[in-house]
Amino acid sequence: MFKVAVIGGSGLLGRAIVQELNAQSGWAVSATAFRRAWPGLTALDIRDSKSVDRFIDDTRPDAIVIAAAERRPDICEHEPLVARALNVDAVRAIANAARRCGAWTLSISTDYVFDGSRPPYLPADPPHPINAYGTSKLEGERALMEASTSSCVLRLPLLYGPIVDWQESAVTSLVPAIAASASGLPDGKTAVMDAWATRYPTYTPDVAVLIRQLLERRLQGVPVCGVTHWSGDEPMTKYDIALSIASALGIQARISPQHHPTDATPRPRDCHLDSSTLDAMGLGQRTSFAVAIKKTLDAFPWQGSAGLDGG
Ligand SMILES: NC(=O)c1ccc[n+]([C@@H]2O[C@H](COP(=O)([O-])OP(=O)(O)OC[C@H]3O[C@@H](n4cnc5c(N)ncnc54)[C@H](OP(=O)(O)O)[C@@H]3O)[C@@H](O)[C@H]2O)c1
């Protein structure tokens, strides 16, 4: 039995990983959550290193995937201690416990470790985060590699996929404004969308397949270590994403582009991650944005007429 622990199994990415790994025969998956410890998930606060030790001693995993984090840039900017506790100290605690029990660890990081001025970025390119989120995730990467050089960091860009709440992803969080802008609404306002920063929206079920493949290689004894990159291959601004969402929803939305950055928290312009190493290994899959966003929206329908009527 190959035992895998998924830390953060209740999150946007964690849920997709748990679903993918649970489908493998001969694999035993134990997943944790914090606030959303639904049946089947173990409640664990990763800021409590004793609880982390206990969880890892009890489950004795062969591999650990860390998908828990504070991933909201604005929260990290205003509450750096919160960001540090989750994105750095907790990663270190998990990595140390993993080393003691001989588990291999894969931790998820972000394209925001780069400043976005010279894309595309190779894993060896020097990071230069411009906000507290990117800084904390970079420190978390370093904490992981200090604990064990056989660990792996997987950097990812903007994620979207099956949701339980519109705000779970910066892609689906656009839906309410897009729907509210639909022409014909009495109070329909134009939705202004960023057309300055280029993003590479990446579908969580595709990432889950990649992580399963990396775990399989590890199980076969192939070393999987160091920093690696994976990314969707469709460059899109939020304006482009909004147009695509409106088309998937079949609505005549009023969307206008914003050509300069307006976010209070600085965000990089284009952090395209070069995924050629994993591509050359034949790993991963990429579902087109048009197909994946349609699936995502179909599975979590906008409250149809209620939403479009402003309800
Ligand atoms: N979302 C993106 O666009 C994006 C882009 C690039 C990289 N990433 C990285 O991808 C990874 C997954 O992100 P995500 O979008 O799936 O995040 P998410 O949806 O916000 O999920 C965060 C997870 O962390 C758990 N968590 C929060 N506080 C915790 C605590 N004190 N103890 C234990 N668990 C705690 C949450 O549990 P509960 O929900 O149960 O509280 C949840 O399972 C993160 O490393 C993130 O930095 C995300």
Side-chain angles (χ1 to χ4, degrees), residues 4-9 11-24 27 29 31 65-68 106 108 154 156 159 204-212 215:
V4 186
V6 179
I7 311 290
L12 176 71
L13 178 59
R15 292 194 306 273
I17 298 172
V18 170
Q19 182 170 352
E20 177 72 24
L21 303 189
N22 271 337
Q24 304 308 301
W27 291 29
V29 181
V65 179
I66 308 176
L106 180 150
I108 307 299
L154 176 62
L156 301 170
L159 299 177
T204 52
D206 289 347
V207 177
V209 166
L210 171 69
I211 289 173
R212 190 250 301 154
L215 286 162

PDB file of all heavy atoms in Angstrom, residues 4-9 11-24 27 29 31 65-68 106 108 154 156 159 204-212 215:
ATOM      1  N   VAL A   4      -0.286   8.149   1.002  1.00  0.00           N
ATOM      2  CA  VAL A   4      -0.064   9.562   0.677  1.00  0.00           C
ATOM      3  C   VAL A   4      -0.922  10.428   1.600  1.00  0.00           C
ATOM      4  O   VAL A   4      -2.110  10.158   1.776  1.00  0.00           O
ATOM      5  CB  VAL A   4      -0.452   9.884  -0.790  1.00  0.00           C
ATOM      6  CG1 VAL A   4      -0.071  11.317  -1.140  1.00  0.00           C
ATOM      7  CG2 VAL A   4       0.193   8.910  -1.756  1.00  0.00           C
ATOM      8  N   ALA A   5      -0.312  11.436   2.181  1.00  0.00           N
ATOM      9  CA  ALA A   5      -1.053  12.415   2.980  1.00  0.00           C
ATOM     10  C   ALA A   5      -1.159  13.707   2.174  1.00  0.00           C
ATOM     11  O   ALA A   5      -0.158  14.204   1.641  1.00  0.00           O
ATOM     12  CB  ALA A   5      -0.343  12.683   4.305  1.00  0.00           C
ATOM     13  N   VAL A   6      -2.371  14.231   2.055  1.00  0.00           N
ATOM     14  CA  VAL A   6      -2.587  15.513   1.381  1.00  0.00           C
ATOM     15  C   VAL A   6      -2.947  16.538   2.455  1.00  0.00           C
ATOM     16  O   VAL A   6      -4.002  16.449   3.092  1.00  0.00           O
ATOM     17  CB  VAL A   6      -3.709  15.424   0.323  1.00  0.00           C
ATOM     18  CG1 VAL A   6      -3.920  16.778  -0.353  1.00  0.00           C
ATOM     19  CG2 VAL A   6      -3.391  14.343  -0.709  1.00  0.00           C
ATOM     20  N   ILE A   7      -2.061  17.482   2.671  1.00  0.00           N
ATOM     21  CA  ILE A   7      -2.299  18.528   3.682  1.00  0.00           C
ATOM     22  C   ILE A   7      -2.998  19.692   2.977  1.00  0.00           C
ATOM     23  O   ILE A   7      -2.446  20.278   2.037  1.00  0.00           O
ATOM     24  CB  ILE A   7      -0.962  19.032   4.296  1.00  0.00           C
ATOM     25  CG1 ILE A   7      -0.068  17.865   4.731  1.00  0.00           C
ATOM     26  CG2 ILE A   7      -1.224  20.007   5.428  1.00  0.00           C
ATOM     27  CD1 ILE A   7      -0.553  17.091   5.921  1.00  0.00           C
ATOM     28  N   GLY A   8      -4.220  19.998   3.424  1.00  0.00           N
ATOM     29  CA  GLY A   8      -5.017  21.024   2.732  1.00  0.00           C
ATOM     30  C   GLY A   8      -5.944  20.382   1.715  1.00  0.00           C
ATOM     31  O   GLY A   8      -6.173  20.935   0.635  1.00  0.00           O
ATOM     32  N   GLY A   9      -6.510  19.225   2.088  1.00  0.00           N
ATOM     33  CA  GLY A   9      -7.367  18.476   1.160  1.00  0.00           C
ATOM     34  C   GLY A   9      -8.738  19.102   0.954  1.00  0.00           C
ATOM     35  O   GLY A   9      -9.491  18.645   0.087  1.00  0.00           O
ATOM     36  N   GLY A  11      -9.100  22.385   0.151  1.00  0.00           N
ATOM     37  CA  GLY A  11      -8.932  23.594  -0.657  1.00  0.00           C
ATOM     38  C   GLY A  11      -9.201  23.353  -2.133  1.00  0.00           C
ATOM     39  O   GLY A  11      -9.470  22.221  -2.573  1.00  0.00           O
ATOM     40  N   LEU A  12      -9.113  24.429  -2.899  1.00  0.00           N
ATOM     41  CA  LEU A  12      -9.388  24.363  -4.344  1.00  0.00           C
ATOM     42  C   LEU A  12      -8.525  23.289  -5.021  1.00  0.00           C
ATOM     43  O   LEU A  12      -9.028  22.423  -5.740  1.00  0.00           O
ATOM     44  CB  LEU A  12      -9.094  25.741  -4.957  1.00  0.00           C
ATOM     45  CG  LEU A  12      -9.236  25.852  -6.465  1.00  0.00           C
ATOM     46  CD1 LEU A  12     -10.699  25.793  -6.885  1.00  0.00           C
ATOM     47  CD2 LEU A  12      -8.598  27.145  -6.984  1.00  0.00           C
ATOM     48  N   LEU A  13      -7.232  23.342  -4.801  1.00  0.00           N
ATOM     49  CA  LEU A  13      -6.343  22.358  -5.411  1.00  0.00           C
ATOM     50  C   LEU A  13      -6.374  21.040  -4.646  1.00  0.00           C
ATOM     51  O   LEU A  13      -6.386  19.957  -5.253  1.00  0.00           O
ATOM     52  CB  LEU A  13      -4.906  22.902  -5.461  1.00  0.00           C
ATOM     53  CG  LEU A  13      -3.860  21.952  -6.043  1.00  0.00           C
ATOM     54  CD1 LEU A  13      -4.222  21.560  -7.487  1.00  0.00           C
ATOM     55  CD2 LEU A  13      -2.467  22.576  -6.007  1.00  0.00           C
ATOM     56  N   GLY A  14      -6.395  21.120  -3.312  1.00  0.00           N
ATOM     57  CA  GLY A  14      -6.357  19.897  -2.502  1.00  0.00           C
ATOM     58  C   GLY A  14      -7.492  18.947  -2.845  1.00  0.00           C
ATOM     59  O   GLY A  14      -7.291  17.727  -2.932  1.00  0.00           O
ATOM     60  N   ARG A  15      -8.694  19.479  -3.082  1.00  0.00           N
ATOM     61  CA  ARG A  15      -9.836  18.602  -3.400  1.00  0.00           C
ATOM     62  C   ARG A  15      -9.591  17.847  -4.702  1.00  0.00           C
ATOM     63  O   ARG A  15      -9.891  16.652  -4.808  1.00  0.00           O
ATOM     64  CB  ARG A  15     -11.131  19.420  -3.516  1.00  0.00           C
ATOM     65  CG  ARG A  15     -11.629  20.017  -2.222  1.00  0.00           C
ATOM     66  CD  ARG A  15     -13.067  20.516  -2.373  1.00  0.00           C
ATOM     67  NE  ARG A  15     -13.255  21.437  -3.482  1.00  0.00           N
ATOM     68  CZ  ARG A  15     -13.067  22.756  -3.419  1.00  0.00           C
ATOM     69  NH1 ARG A  15     -12.698  23.325  -2.280  1.00  0.00           N
ATOM     70  NH2 ARG A  15     -13.269  23.514  -4.476  1.00  0.00           N
ATOM     71  N   ALA A  16      -9.042  18.545  -5.705  1.00  0.00           N
ATOM     72  CA  ALA A  16      -8.776  17.885  -6.991  1.00  0.00           C
ATOM     73  C   ALA A  16      -7.716  16.800  -6.819  1.00  0.00           C
ATOM     74  O   ALA A  16      -7.813  15.712  -7.409  1.00  0.00           O
ATOM     75  CB  ALA A  16      -8.325  18.922  -8.022  1.00  0.00           C
ATOM     76  N   ILE A  17      -6.711  17.081  -5.980  1.00  0.00           N
ATOM     77  CA  ILE A  17      -5.648  16.084  -5.755  1.00  0.00           C
ATOM     78  C   ILE A  17      -6.235  14.851  -5.066  1.00  0.00           C
ATOM     79  O   ILE A  17      -5.988  13.712  -5.474  1.00  0.00           O
ATOM     80  CB  ILE A  17      -4.504  16.687  -4.894  1.00  0.00           C
ATOM     81  CG1 ILE A  17      -3.847  17.859  -5.616  1.00  0.00           C
ATOM     82  CG2 ILE A  17      -3.475  15.626  -4.551  1.00  0.00           C
ATOM     83  CD1 ILE A  17      -2.839  18.651  -4.760  1.00  0.00           C
ATOM     84  N   VAL A  18      -7.032  15.088  -4.011  1.00  0.00           N
ATOM     85  CA  VAL A  18      -7.609  13.954  -3.265  1.00  0.00           C
ATOM     86  C   VAL A  18      -8.475  13.107  -4.200  1.00  0.00           C
ATOM     87  O   VAL A  18      -8.390  11.874  -4.191  1.00  0.00           O
ATOM     88  CB  VAL A  18      -8.427  14.471  -2.051  1.00  0.00           C
ATOM     89  CG1 VAL A  18      -9.224  13.356  -1.414  1.00  0.00           C
ATOM     90  CG2 VAL A  18      -7.493  15.125  -1.033  1.00  0.00           C
ATOM     91  N   GLN A  19      -9.266  13.778  -5.038  1.00  0.00           N
ATOM     92  CA  GLN A  19     -10.136  13.023  -5.954  1.00  0.00           C
ATOM     93  C   GLN A  19      -9.298  12.174  -6.910  1.00  0.00           C
ATOM     94  O   GLN A  19      -9.590  10.998  -7.145  1.00  0.00           O
ATOM     95  CB  GLN A  19     -11.025  13.997  -6.739  1.00  0.00           C
ATOM     96  CG  GLN A  19     -11.977  13.268  -7.659  1.00  0.00           C
ATOM     97  CD  GLN A  19     -13.033  14.183  -8.260  1.00  0.00           C
ATOM     98  OE1 GLN A  19     -13.167  15.343  -7.891  1.00  0.00           O
ATOM     99  NE2 GLN A  19     -13.797  13.643  -9.177  1.00  0.00           N
ATOM    100  N   GLU A  20      -8.239  12.758  -7.449  1.00  0.00           N
ATOM    101  CA  GLU A  20      -7.380  12.017  -8.391  1.00  0.00           C
ATOM    102  C   GLU A  20      -6.681  10.839  -7.701  1.00  0.00           C
ATOM    103  O   GLU A  20      -6.637   9.730  -8.226  1.00  0.00           O
ATOM    104  CB  GLU A  20      -6.343  12.991  -8.982  1.00  0.00           C
ATOM    105  CG  GLU A  20      -5.322  12.356  -9.917  1.00  0.00           C
ATOM    106  CD  GLU A  20      -5.906  11.938 -11.261  1.00  0.00           C
ATOM    107  OE1 GLU A  20      -6.937  12.508 -11.667  1.00  0.00           O
ATOM    108  OE2 GLU A  20      -5.332  11.018 -11.895  1.00  0.00           O
ATOM    109  N   LEU A  21      -6.148  11.073  -6.507  1.00  0.00           N
ATOM    110  CA  LEU A  21      -5.374  10.016  -5.837  1.00  0.00           C
ATOM    111  C   LEU A  21      -6.278   8.912  -5.299  1.00  0.00           C
ATOM    112  O   LEU A  21      -5.890   7.741  -5.271  1.00  0.00           O
ATOM    113  CB  LEU A  21      -4.526  10.603  -4.697  1.00  0.00           C
ATOM    114  CG  LEU A  21      -3.537  11.709  -5.070  1.00  0.00           C
ATOM    115  CD1 LEU A  21      -2.613  12.025  -3.889  1.00  0.00           C
ATOM    116  CD2 LEU A  21      -2.715  11.362  -6.300  1.00  0.00           C
ATOM    117  N   ASN A  22      -7.491   9.275  -4.884  1.00  0.00           N
ATOM    118  CA  ASN A  22      -8.421   8.259  -4.367  1.00  0.00           C
ATOM    119  C   ASN A  22      -8.799   7.249  -5.439  1.00  0.00           C
ATOM    120  O   ASN A  22      -9.235   6.138  -5.123  1.00  0.00           O
ATOM    121  CB  ASN A  22      -9.695   8.921  -3.814  1.00  0.00           C
ATOM    122  CG  ASN A  22      -9.552   9.273  -2.345  1.00  0.00           C
ATOM    123  OD1 ASN A  22      -8.742   8.685  -1.634  1.00  0.00           O
ATOM    124  ND2 ASN A  22     -10.344  10.231  -1.883  1.00  0.00           N
ATOM    125  N   ALA A  23      -8.644   7.632  -6.713  1.00  0.00           N
ATOM    126  CA  ALA A  23      -9.013   6.717  -7.803  1.00  0.00           C
ATOM    127  C   ALA A  23      -7.915   5.694  -8.081  1.00  0.00           C
ATOM    128  O   ALA A  23      -8.099   4.791  -8.910  1.00  0.00           O
ATOM    129  CB  ALA A  23      -9.310   7.527  -9.064  1.00  0.00           C
ATOM    130  N   GLN A  24      -6.778   5.788  -7.395  1.00  0.00           N
ATOM    131  CA  GLN A  24      -5.659   4.854  -7.645  1.00  0.00           C
ATOM    132  C   GLN A  24      -5.817   3.617  -6.767  1.00  0.00           C
ATOM    133  O   GLN A  24      -5.945   3.741  -5.553  1.00  0.00           O
ATOM    134  CB  GLN A  24      -4.312   5.516  -7.314  1.00  0.00           C
ATOM    135  CG  GLN A  24      -4.052   6.796  -8.051  1.00  0.00           C
ATOM    136  CD  GLN A  24      -4.233   6.629  -9.544  1.00  0.00           C
ATOM    137  OE1 GLN A  24      -3.564   5.808 -10.154  1.00  0.00           O
ATOM    138  NE2 GLN A  24      -5.152   7.373 -10.114  1.00  0.00           N
ATOM    139  N   TRP A  27      -3.456   2.669  -3.364  1.00  0.00           N
ATOM    140  CA  TRP A  27      -2.997   3.883  -2.702  1.00  0.00           C
ATOM    141  C   TRP A  27      -3.947   4.185  -1.540  1.00  0.00           C
ATOM    142  O   TRP A  27      -5.169   4.084  -1.691  1.00  0.00           O
ATOM    143  CB  TRP A  27      -3.007   5.096  -3.651  1.00  0.00           C
ATOM    144  CG  TRP A  27      -1.970   5.037  -4.734  1.00  0.00           C
ATOM    145  CD1 TRP A  27      -1.449   3.909  -5.302  1.00  0.00           C
ATOM    146  CD2 TRP A  27      -1.344   6.139  -5.397  1.00  0.00           C
ATOM    147  NE1 TRP A  27      -0.541   4.238  -6.278  1.00  0.00           N
ATOM    148  CE2 TRP A  27      -0.460   5.598  -6.360  1.00  0.00           C
ATOM    149  CE3 TRP A  27      -1.442   7.509  -5.285  1.00  0.00           C
ATOM    150  CZ2 TRP A  27       0.318   6.406  -7.196  1.00  0.00           C
ATOM    151  CZ3 TRP A  27      -0.669   8.314  -6.124  1.00  0.00           C
ATOM    152  CH2 TRP A  27       0.204   7.763  -7.058  1.00  0.00           C
ATOM    153  N   VAL A  29      -5.045   7.218   0.825  1.00  0.00           N
ATOM    154  CA  VAL A  29      -4.916   8.673   0.902  1.00  0.00           C
ATOM    155  C   VAL A  29      -5.517   9.165   2.216  1.00  0.00           C
ATOM    156  O   VAL A  29      -6.672   8.856   2.530  1.00  0.00           O
ATOM    157  CB  VAL A  29      -5.649   9.351  -0.281  1.00  0.00           C
ATOM    158  CG1 VAL A  29      -5.505  10.871  -0.217  1.00  0.00           C
ATOM    159  CG2 VAL A  29      -5.119   8.804  -1.602  1.00  0.00           C
ATOM    160  N   ALA A  31      -6.257  12.774   4.083  1.00  0.00           N
ATOM    161  CA  ALA A  31      -6.245  14.199   3.763  1.00  0.00           C
ATOM    162  C   ALA A  31      -6.673  15.001   4.977  1.00  0.00           C
ATOM    163  O   ALA A  31      -7.492  14.550   5.777  1.00  0.00           O
ATOM    164  CB  ALA A  31      -7.181  14.471   2.591  1.00  0.00           C
ATOM    165  N   VAL A  65       1.810  15.634   0.262  1.00  0.00           N
ATOM    166  CA  VAL A  65       1.608  16.758  -0.653  1.00  0.00           C
ATOM    167  C   VAL A  65       1.075  17.917   0.182  1.00  0.00           C
ATOM    168  O   VAL A  65       0.040  17.791   0.841  1.00  0.00           O
ATOM    169  CB  VAL A  65       0.600  16.396  -1.766  1.00  0.00           C
ATOM    170  CG1 VAL A  65       0.392  17.593  -2.701  1.00  0.00           C
ATOM    171  CG2 VAL A  65       1.065  15.175  -2.550  1.00  0.00           C
ATOM    172  N   ILE A  66       1.786  19.042   0.158  1.00  0.00           N
ATOM    173  CA  ILE A  66       1.344  20.218   0.940  1.00  0.00           C
ATOM    174  C   ILE A  66       0.600  21.181   0.005  1.00  0.00           C
ATOM    175  O   ILE A  66       1.216  21.831  -0.848  1.00  0.00           O
ATOM    176  CB  ILE A  66       2.524  20.959   1.602  1.00  0.00           C
ATOM    177  CG1 ILE A  66       3.403  19.989   2.402  1.00  0.00           C
ATOM    178  CG2 ILE A  66       1.995  22.086   2.491  1.00  0.00           C
ATOM    179  CD1 ILE A  66       4.643  20.652   3.007  1.00  0.00           C
ATOM    180  N   ALA A  67      -0.724  21.228   0.183  1.00  0.00           N
ATOM    181  CA  ALA A  67      -1.547  22.153  -0.606  1.00  0.00           C
ATOM    182  C   ALA A  67      -2.219  23.182   0.296  1.00  0.00           C
ATOM    183  O   ALA A  67      -3.055  23.957  -0.159  1.00  0.00           O
ATOM    184  CB  ALA A  67      -2.595  21.393  -1.414  1.00  0.00           C
ATOM    185  N   ALA A  68      -1.865  23.168   1.588  1.00  0.00           N
ATOM    186  CA  ALA A  68      -2.419  24.158   2.517  1.00  0.00           C
ATOM    187  C   ALA A  68      -1.540  25.405   2.460  1.00  0.00           C
ATOM    188  O   ALA A  68      -0.310  25.298   2.375  1.00  0.00           O
ATOM    189  CB  ALA A  68      -2.442  23.608   3.935  1.00  0.00           C
ATOM    190  N   LEU A 106       6.165  16.876  -1.390  1.00  0.00           N
ATOM    191  CA  LEU A 106       5.985  17.779  -2.525  1.00  0.00           C
ATOM    192  C   LEU A 106       5.169  18.961  -2.023  1.00  0.00           C
ATOM    193  O   LEU A 106       4.090  18.767  -1.457  1.00  0.00           O
ATOM    194  CB  LEU A 106       5.241  17.065  -3.663  1.00  0.00           C
ATOM    195  CG  LEU A 106       4.975  17.877  -4.936  1.00  0.00           C
ATOM    196  CD1 LEU A 106       4.946  16.950  -6.149  1.00  0.00           C
ATOM    197  CD2 LEU A 106       3.678  18.647  -4.876  1.00  0.00           C
ATOM    198  N   ILE A 108       3.437  22.827  -2.829  1.00  0.00           N
ATOM    199  CA  ILE A 108       2.988  23.693  -3.924  1.00  0.00           C
ATOM    200  C   ILE A 108       3.443  25.128  -3.663  1.00  0.00           C
ATOM    201  O   ILE A 108       3.278  25.658  -2.571  1.00  0.00           O
ATOM    202  CB  ILE A 108       1.443  23.668  -4.050  1.00  0.00           C
ATOM    203  CG1 ILE A 108       0.914  22.228  -4.160  1.00  0.00           C
ATOM    204  CG2 ILE A 108       0.992  24.517  -5.230  1.00  0.00           C
ATOM    205  CD1 ILE A 108       1.405  21.453  -5.353  1.00  0.00           C
ATOM    206  N   LEU A 154       6.652  22.419  -6.443  1.00  0.00           N
ATOM    207  CA  LEU A 154       5.969  22.569  -7.726  1.00  0.00           C
ATOM    208  C   LEU A 154       5.343  23.960  -7.777  1.00  0.00           C
ATOM    209  O   LEU A 154       4.386  24.247  -7.064  1.00  0.00           O
ATOM    210  CB  LEU A 154       4.882  21.489  -7.876  1.00  0.00           C
ATOM    211  CG  LEU A 154       4.004  21.570  -9.127  1.00  0.00           C
ATOM    212  CD1 LEU A 154       4.827  21.409 -10.410  1.00  0.00           C
ATOM    213  CD2 LEU A 154       2.887  20.524  -9.072  1.00  0.00           C
ATOM    214  N   LEU A 156       3.176  26.865  -9.459  1.00  0.00           N
ATOM    215  CA  LEU A 156       2.000  26.905 -10.336  1.00  0.00           C
ATOM    216  C   LEU A 156       1.531  28.351 -10.491  1.00  0.00           C
ATOM    217  O   LEU A 156       1.716  29.165  -9.594  1.00  0.00           O
ATOM    218  CB  LEU A 156       0.857  26.093  -9.718  1.00  0.00           C
ATOM    219  CG  LEU A 156       1.120  24.611  -9.443  1.00  0.00           C
ATOM    220  CD1 LEU A 156      -0.023  24.028  -8.617  1.00  0.00           C
ATOM    221  CD2 LEU A 156       1.278  23.851 -10.758  1.00  0.00           C
ATOM    222  N   LEU A 159      -4.842  29.381 -10.514  1.00  0.00           N
ATOM    223  CA  LEU A 159      -5.578  28.118 -10.572  1.00  0.00           C
ATOM    224  C   LEU A 159      -7.084  28.355 -10.658  1.00  0.00           C
ATOM    225  O   LEU A 159      -7.597  29.327 -10.106  1.00  0.00           O
ATOM    226  CB  LEU A 159      -5.290  27.282  -9.313  1.00  0.00           C
ATOM    227  CG  LEU A 159      -3.829  26.868  -9.092  1.00  0.00           C
ATOM    228  CD1 LEU A 159      -3.699  26.116  -7.765  1.00  0.00           C
ATOM    229  CD2 LEU A 159      -3.324  26.016 -10.249  1.00  0.00           C
ATOM    230  N   THR A 204      -7.272  22.845 -12.071  1.00  0.00           N
ATOM    231  CA  THR A 204      -6.809  22.005 -10.949  1.00  0.00           C
ATOM    232  C   THR A 204      -6.846  20.497 -11.250  1.00  0.00           C
ATOM    233  O   THR A 204      -5.909  19.795 -10.837  1.00  0.00           O
ATOM    234  CB  THR A 204      -7.583  22.321  -9.651  1.00  0.00           C
ATOM    235  OG1 THR A 204      -8.991  22.255  -9.897  1.00  0.00           O
ATOM    236  CG2 THR A 204      -7.231  23.694  -9.114  1.00  0.00           C
ATOM    237  N   PRO A 205      -7.856  19.952 -11.956  1.00  0.00           N
ATOM    238  CA  PRO A 205      -7.789  18.522 -12.259  1.00  0.00           C
ATOM    239  C   PRO A 205      -6.563  18.156 -13.116  1.00  0.00           C
ATOM    240  O   PRO A 205      -6.021  17.045 -12.990  1.00  0.00           O
ATOM    241  CB  PRO A 205      -9.106  18.243 -13.006  1.00  0.00           C
ATOM    242  CG  PRO A 205     -10.047  19.288 -12.465  1.00  0.00           C
ATOM    243  CD  PRO A 205      -9.189  20.519 -12.316  1.00  0.00           C
ATOM    244  N   ASP A 206      -6.105  19.095 -13.973  1.00  0.00           N
ATOM    245  CA  ASP A 206      -4.880  18.838 -14.754  1.00  0.00           C
ATOM    246  C   ASP A 206      -3.663  18.787 -13.822  1.00  0.00           C
ATOM    247  O   ASP A 206      -2.774  17.940 -13.981  1.00  0.00           O
ATOM    248  CB  ASP A 206      -4.661  19.930 -15.805  1.00  0.00           C
ATOM    249  CG  ASP A 206      -5.656  19.856 -16.957  1.00  0.00           C
ATOM    250  OD1 ASP A 206      -6.358  18.838 -17.079  1.00  0.00           O
ATOM    251  OD2 ASP A 206      -5.716  20.828 -17.744  1.00  0.00           O
ATOM    252  N   VAL A 207      -3.617  19.698 -12.851  1.00  0.00           N
ATOM    253  CA  VAL A 207      -2.502  19.703 -11.892  1.00  0.00           C
ATOM    254  C   VAL A 207      -2.527  18.408 -11.072  1.00  0.00           C
ATOM    255  O   VAL A 207      -1.481  17.800 -10.792  1.00  0.00           O
ATOM    256  CB  VAL A 207      -2.584  20.923 -10.951  1.00  0.00           C
ATOM    257  CG1 VAL A 207      -1.468  20.879  -9.914  1.00  0.00           C
ATOM    258  CG2 VAL A 207      -2.519  22.223 -11.742  1.00  0.00           C
ATOM    259  N   ALA A 208      -3.734  17.962 -10.716  1.00  0.00           N
ATOM    260  CA  ALA A 208      -3.856  16.737  -9.923  1.00  0.00           C
ATOM    261  C   ALA A 208      -3.304  15.529 -10.678  1.00  0.00           C
ATOM    262  O   ALA A 208      -2.643  14.663 -10.089  1.00  0.00           O
ATOM    263  CB  ALA A 208      -5.318  16.514  -9.536  1.00  0.00           C
ATOM    264  N   VAL A 209      -3.546  15.487 -11.990  1.00  0.00           N
ATOM    265  CA  VAL A 209      -2.994  14.392 -12.806  1.00  0.00           C
ATOM    266  C   VAL A 209      -1.460  14.451 -12.760  1.00  0.00           C
ATOM    267  O   VAL A 209      -0.784  13.433 -12.561  1.00  0.00           O
ATOM    268  CB  VAL A 209      -3.503  14.486 -14.271  1.00  0.00           C
ATOM    269  CG1 VAL A 209      -2.692  13.582 -15.193  1.00  0.00           C
ATOM    270  CG2 VAL A 209      -4.987  14.138 -14.327  1.00  0.00           C
ATOM    271  N   LEU A 210      -0.924  15.652 -12.922  1.00  0.00           N
ATOM    272  CA  LEU A 210       0.541  15.811 -12.879  1.00  0.00           C
ATOM    273  C   LEU A 210       1.096  15.344 -11.524  1.00  0.00           C
ATOM    274  O   LEU A 210       2.109  14.620 -11.475  1.00  0.00           O
ATOM    275  CB  LEU A 210       0.897  17.282 -13.120  1.00  0.00           C
ATOM    276  CG  LEU A 210       2.355  17.635 -12.887  1.00  0.00           C
ATOM    277  CD1 LEU A 210       3.241  16.992 -13.948  1.00  0.00           C
ATOM    278  CD2 LEU A 210       2.556  19.150 -12.877  1.00  0.00           C
ATOM    279  N   ILE A 211       0.437  15.724 -10.447  1.00  0.00           N
ATOM    280  CA  ILE A 211       0.936  15.343  -9.117  1.00  0.00           C
ATOM    281  C   ILE A 211       0.854  13.819  -8.942  1.00  0.00           C
ATOM    282  O   ILE A 211       1.779  13.201  -8.413  1.00  0.00           O
ATOM    283  CB  ILE A 211       0.161  16.109  -8.022  1.00  0.00           C
ATOM    284  CG1 ILE A 211       0.589  17.585  -8.070  1.00  0.00           C
ATOM    285  CG2 ILE A 211       0.391  15.509  -6.630  1.00  0.00           C
ATOM    286  CD1 ILE A 211      -0.187  18.508  -7.172  1.00  0.00           C
ATOM    287  N   ARG A 212      -0.230  13.234  -9.426  1.00  0.00           N
ATOM    288  CA  ARG A 212      -0.326  11.757  -9.369  1.00  0.00           C
ATOM    289  C   ARG A 212       0.835  11.120 -10.153  1.00  0.00           C
ATOM    290  O   ARG A 212       1.462  10.164  -9.693  1.00  0.00           O
ATOM    291  CB  ARG A 212      -1.680  11.327  -9.939  1.00  0.00           C
ATOM    292  CG  ARG A 212      -2.000   9.858  -9.724  1.00  0.00           C
ATOM    293  CD  ARG A 212      -1.970   9.062 -11.021  1.00  0.00           C
ATOM    294  NE  ARG A 212      -2.907   9.566 -11.994  1.00  0.00           N
ATOM    295  CZ  ARG A 212      -2.757   9.412 -13.320  1.00  0.00           C
ATOM    296  NH1 ARG A 212      -1.671   8.816 -13.802  1.00  0.00           N
ATOM    297  NH2 ARG A 212      -3.648   9.883 -14.163  1.00  0.00           N
ATOM    298  N   LEU A 215       4.001  11.381  -8.188  1.00  0.00           N
ATOM    299  CA  LEU A 215       3.997  10.387  -7.104  1.00  0.00           C
ATOM    300  C   LEU A 215       4.290   8.990  -7.656  1.00  0.00           C
ATOM    301  O   LEU A 215       5.017   8.209  -7.031  1.00  0.00           O
ATOM    302  CB  LEU A 215       2.639  10.401  -6.392  1.00  0.00           C
ATOM    303  CG  LEU A 215       2.394  11.617  -5.484  1.00  0.00           C
ATOM    304  CD1 LEU A 215       0.904  11.787  -5.188  1.00  0.00           C
ATOM    305  CD2 LEU A 215       3.166  11.464  -4.169  1.00  0.00           C
TER     306      LEU A 215
END
